[in-house]
Amino acid sequence: MTTEIAEPASKVELPSHLSGDAGEIPSFECTIRIARFVPEQDEEPHWEDYQVTMYGTDRVLDALHKIKWEIDGSLSFRRSCAHGICGSDAMRINGRNRLACKTLLKDLDTSKPITVEPIKGLPVEKDLIVDMEPFFQSYREIMPFLITTGNEPTRERLQSQEDRARFDDTTKCILCAACTSSCPVFWTDGQYFGPAAIVNAHRFIFDSRDEGGDLRLEILNDKEGVWRCRTTFNCSEACPRGIEVTKAIAEVKQALFTRAF
Amino acid sequence: MSQATIPAPRSGYNRSKSGGSKFELAAWLYMRLSGILLVVLIFGHLYVNMIAGEGVQQIDFGFVAGKWASPFWQIWDLLMLWLAMLHGTNGMRTIISDYAEKPATRMWWQIILYASSLTIIVLGTLVIYTFEPCPAGADPSVLASFCTAD
Ligand code: HEM
Ligand code: SF4
Ligand code: FES
């Protein structure tokens, strides 16, 4: 293992008369405390501390990369886009569900170790990787696709701006599971559909072009459906896309009432 | 902060389909409606018993007997009993399904819950409606003083 010079902030070598101290990015030492678990050798997860020198522009994901690439290659976590779009890297950072790629280190308290754990309520496979299957099973159950009747139109299905705005918020979901795995009701027995499934059902229930709303409402009227929600707002707080998750759930409850009475 | 042990992988989802039942919807609505009524009933009850008149010192056998002599307080207390018991029982049902992990454990907790709720509702209703402060023909030595005062 070699200790090398940290990557320069810019790949472009500027002549000394152009580069000054002005644009220099501050660097700092921080401790990343990661819940490590290797099923083949560990009985249960344990904390492992890593000291790294990071820069003001770095995110938690960059720290994880640095650890994986320079200190311990066995560290496992998911990430793909690294830009808050694919939803792979939701994890519990300092006790809160966030995307590692959207959490700047400078926004955390770097004087104390930064804890990084897998999201809760789903079985841990290795280190920060959990089995997402129960999460996606709920997602599939609410039928996240357009349901229509009659012949396919020969052109796109038009919709007014107001109709589109009705469900705009819930179209933003990236299926990261930050919400579902922050929900204490989901933690209990994992049978609750969970906020993410309800958000994605909302996206179709309130879409004027869709005709499967009734089916989805019936699914969410289940005893593991929206009625298990206890409005703790953990989901709304956790969502990296800023979706008003609890509000979406309340709207689905309301739609169920309108249908029932 | 200590890391909790990793829960054993779950056996996937085994939701039993409730199939068109409106029970959960009704229970959800009931919790809110009964809650609103209970705010009035409970705080009214606390005020009348503990603050109005001579305050908490006034509560004794005679005070309760006096209240239940009036149909107004009989209905008030009966409503409070039924609404709160059904509300509390449904709330406990929620908590049991949260915490009980094995179906058998869950079933036993629910049996205990429903049995005790039923007992309290039946006994409470009987007390409110059959309450007789001065039963005719009773030994005068065990009666309240106001029964013998003539
Ligand atoms: C004072 C008026 C009351 C109001 C406004 C009220 C309101 C509520 C509401 C809205 C819920 C549902 C919470 C949810 O679904 O997330 C609830 C739950 C509950 N209530 Fe009440 N309630 C009142 C009195 C009572 C009383 C007197 C009892 C006991 C007999 C009680 C026992 C419970 C229990 C055990 C729960 C379940 C808690 C949980 O879900 O974690 N409540 N209450
Ligand atoms: S609603 Fe938000 S937190 Fe939940 S899965 Fe979608 S993007 Fe993630
Ligand atoms: S890596 Fe794609 S959302 Fe973070």
Side-chain angles (χ1 to χ4, degrees):
Chain A
M1 205 168 22
T2 54
T3 42
E4 14 123 25
I5 316 114
E7 208 179 312
S10 170
K11 306 252 180 201
V12 183
E13 230 36 275
L14 289 175
S16 57
H17 70 278
L18 284 181
S19 68
D21 286 347
E24 208 181 319
I25 298 164
S27 76
F28 45 84
E29 292 288 315
C30 57
T31 307
I32 313 288
R33 179 168 291 172
I34 304 178
R36 298 293 309 266
F37 174 69
V38 182
E40 290 80 18
Q41 64 193 45
D42 298 331
E43 294 267 310
E44 54 183 86
H46 60 274
W47 294 108
E48 202 85 60
D49 284 6
Y50 302 90
Q51 312 289 336
V52 279
T53 307
M54 303 305 297
Y55 291 86
T57 46
D58 282 334
R59 307 151 299 168
V60 172
L61 182 64
D62 297 306
L64 294 177
H65 277 153
K66 201 177 181 93
I67 295 164
K68 183 171 178 72
W69 294 339
E70 296 172 13
I71 303 175
D72 183 350
S74 73
L75 176 67
S76 306
F77 54 91
R78 286 194 184 104
R79 70 97 174 83
S80 185
C81 69
H83 289 83
I85 278 304
C86 70
S88 330
D89 63 342
M91 45 190 81
R92 248 164 97 85
I93 298 167
N94 277 353
R96 310 179 71 150
N97 283 5
R98 336 189 41 164
L99 295 179
C101 65
K102 273 186 86 170
T103 308
L104 281 169
L105 287 166
K106 72 175 177 60
D107 294 340
L108 302 171
D109 180 3
T110 45
S111 68
K112 282 188 283 185
I114 294 163
T115 61
V116 182
E117 302 159 74
I119 45 177
K120 276 178 75 163
L122 291 162
V124 178
E125 291 187 332
K126 188 181 176 202
D127 295 341
L128 303 174
I129 297 180
V130 297
D131 178 5
M132 297 282 279
E133 187 46 30
F135 172 80
F136 284 117
Q137 196 173 333
S138 292
Y139 175 60
R140 283 194 296 270
E141 274 181 64
I142 56 97
M143 305 186 289
F145 40 79
L146 191 76
I147 299 175
T148 58
T149 52
N151 292 328
E152 291 276 299
T154 51
R155 46 182 301 208
E156 64 269 48
R157 298 169 198 271
L158 292 180
Q159 186 172 43
S160 72
Q161 290 191 2
E162 297 78 64
D163 283 350
R164 177 59 179 72
R166 181 67 193 84
F167 61 96
D168 185 63
D169 203 31
T170 44
T171 61
K172 298 175 189 158
C173 176
I174 56 173
L175 294 171
C176 66
C179 55
T180 296
S181 63
S182 74
C183 175
V185 177
F186 182 76
W187 294 340
T188 61
D189 61 359
Q191 300 300 311
Y192 173 40
F193 273 85
I198 303 172
V199 158
N200 287 280
H202 179 286
R203 183 250 168 273
F204 288 96
I205 292 168
F206 294 93
D207 185 339
S208 60
R209 298 164 298 187
D210 185 89
E211 294 169 39
D214 221 36
L215 286 170
R216 298 194 183 87
L217 285 174
E218 197 47 57
I219 291 164
L220 292 178
N221 192 31
D222 188 270
K223 80 173 170 36
E224 306 295 347
V226 288
W227 308 119
R228 278 201 83 177
C229 166
R230 312 265 269 283
T231 37
T232 59
F233 281 90
N234 280 18
C235 50
S236 302
E237 222 167 274
C239 181
R241 303 285 296 161
I243 299 173
E244 294 181 279
V245 183
T246 314
K247 186 177 170 204
I249 299 174
E251 286 176 355
V252 173
K253 285 175 184 161
Q254 221 167 51
L256 274 161
F257 277 119
T258 322
R259 203 180 65 128
F261 302 114
Chain B
M1 194 167 67
S2 76
Q3 168 79 18
T5 52
I6 291 176
R10 294 182 174 121
S11 54
Y13 278 51
N14 36 22
R15 292 190 196 104
S16 50
K17 292 272 172 290
S18 47
S21 158
K22 291 220 182 354
F23 179 76
E24 295 297 333
L25 180 150
W28 189 91
L29 188 62
Y30 175 80
M31 290 308 272
R32 271 111 197 119
L33 294 182
S34 60
I36 294 169
L37 288 173
L38 281 170
V39 170
V40 179
L41 290 170
I42 292 174
F43 286 98
H45 170 83
L46 290 177
Y47 178 78
V48 167
N49 281 22
M50 318 260 222
I51 296 164
E54 300 155 44
V56 70
Q57 309 299 335
Q58 69 196 339
I59 301 183
D60 59 11
F61 186 83
F63 178 79
V64 176
K67 268 182 91 183
W68 280 343
S70 138
F72 177 81
W73 288 113
Q74 276 188 325
I75 291 169
W76 183 293
D77 283 3
L78 193 75
L79 266 178
M80 203 160 61
L81 173 75
W82 279 71
L83 288 174
M85 283 309 294
L86 294 178
H87 178 106
T89 305
N90 188 51
M92 289 307 295
R93 177 184 71 100
T94 311
I95 292 173
I96 289 171
S97 38
D98 279 352
Y99 287 100
E101 282 170 12
K102 297 191 211 96
T105 323
R106 176 171 308 169
M107 187 191 72
W108 279 110
W109 278 115
Q110 285 183 347
I111 288 174
I112 295 170
L113 172 70
Y114 298 144
S116 45
S117 299
L118 188 75
T119 314
I120 293 171
I121 292 176
V122 169
L123 278 182
T125 309
L126 278 176
V127 167
I128 294 174
Y129 272 113
T130 61
F131 185 69
E132 178 53 76
C134 311
D139 176 1
S141 65
V142 298
L143 285 180
S145 54
F146 56 80
C147 297
T148 46
D150 37 4

